[in-house]
Amino acid sequence: MLMFTIIAPSAICFGAVYRVGDASGWHPMFNYTKWASSNKFHVGDTIRFEYNAIFHNVKEVTEPNYRACNGTKAIATYFSGNDSFTLDHPGHRYFLCGFPYHCRYGQKVEIYVVGEGTSPCPSPSPVADKNPANSASSSHHIFSVQFVTKYLAMVILVLFYLF
């Protein structure tokens, strides 16, 4: 039983967490197409939009509305300044900022999600940031969250079996 509690947490898969735009966050004048294409998103991963809610929002839209930068008929609108989305199915997801002209100045992103059958335990492909400190910090943060979560699960399992 002790062997099970040691091995089981390492078999637990947790999706990666991606901060949209990495250290730059969510704002106009950033190449989100390049950012998205340099990552591989899997079912179960989470994308997080961080931005100043006074000046920006996040709208999930259809592909035609994404291409036209039209946020008036959004699937959903978010404006907390820290919005997270779990990627729960494969395919394309489209997001843009609904503030005037922000989408036209690049504040939009298309996320392509690979089906869960591709990898049992997906791991992120970190963006090579121009600032090495930012890339290391982002990768380290994702690794730390996964590491702590797995071993917290192990401790809970051990406590469960002991009591």
Side-chain angles (χ1 to χ4, degrees):
M1 192 166 331
L2 180 59
M3 184 64 97
F4 174 77
T5 55
I6 292 171
I7 296 172
S10 63
I12 298 172
C13 292
F14 296 97
V17 177
Y18 295 89
R19 180 180 181 204
V20 176
D22 291 327
S24 294
W26 182 238
H27 62 84
M29 308 301 286
F30 183 84
N31 189 340
Y32 292 102
T33 301
K34 183 177 177 183
W35 175 84
S37 68
S38 66
N39 289 290
K40 188 168 185 179
F41 304 99
H42 295 86
V43 170
D45 288 349
T46 300
I47 56 171
R48 189 176 72 241
F49 291 83
E50 293 180 11
Y51 56 93
N52 184 331
I54 295 171
F55 302 110
H56 308 289
N57 61 24
V58 176
K59 293 188 173 216
E60 185 166 8
V61 296
T62 63
E63 181 182 8
N65 286 332
Y66 173 82
R67 303 268 177 245
C69 279
N70 181 356
T72 59
K73 295 182 180 179
I75 297 166
T77 301
Y78 305 90
F79 43 84
S80 75
N82 190 5
D83 305 310
S84 293
F85 302 90
T86 299
L87 304 172
D88 57 359
H89 60 276
H92 294 268
R93 306 259 317 250
Y94 303 93
F95 301 92
L96 56 81
C97 179
F99 277 63
Y101 301 104
H102 288 203
C103 179
R104 296 205 188 282
Y105 285 109
Q107 197 172 0
K108 65 181 188 173
V109 64
E110 175 182 353
I111 303 291
Y112 176 68
V113 183
V114 177
E116 54 194 337
T118 350
S119 171
C121 289
S123 59
S125 304
V127 171
D129 195 332
K130 300 242 188 284
N131 181 349
N134 289 343
S135 290
S137 173
S138 176
S139 299
H140 177 70
H141 174 72
I142 291 170
F143 173 77
S144 297
V145 169
Q146 290 175 338
F147 179 82
V148 169
T149 307
K150 284 182 182 180
Y151 286 96
L152 182 59
M154 183 176 73
V155 169
I156 291 169
L157 283 171
V158 169
L159 291 175
F160 175 79
Y161 286 113
L162 290 177
F163 299 102

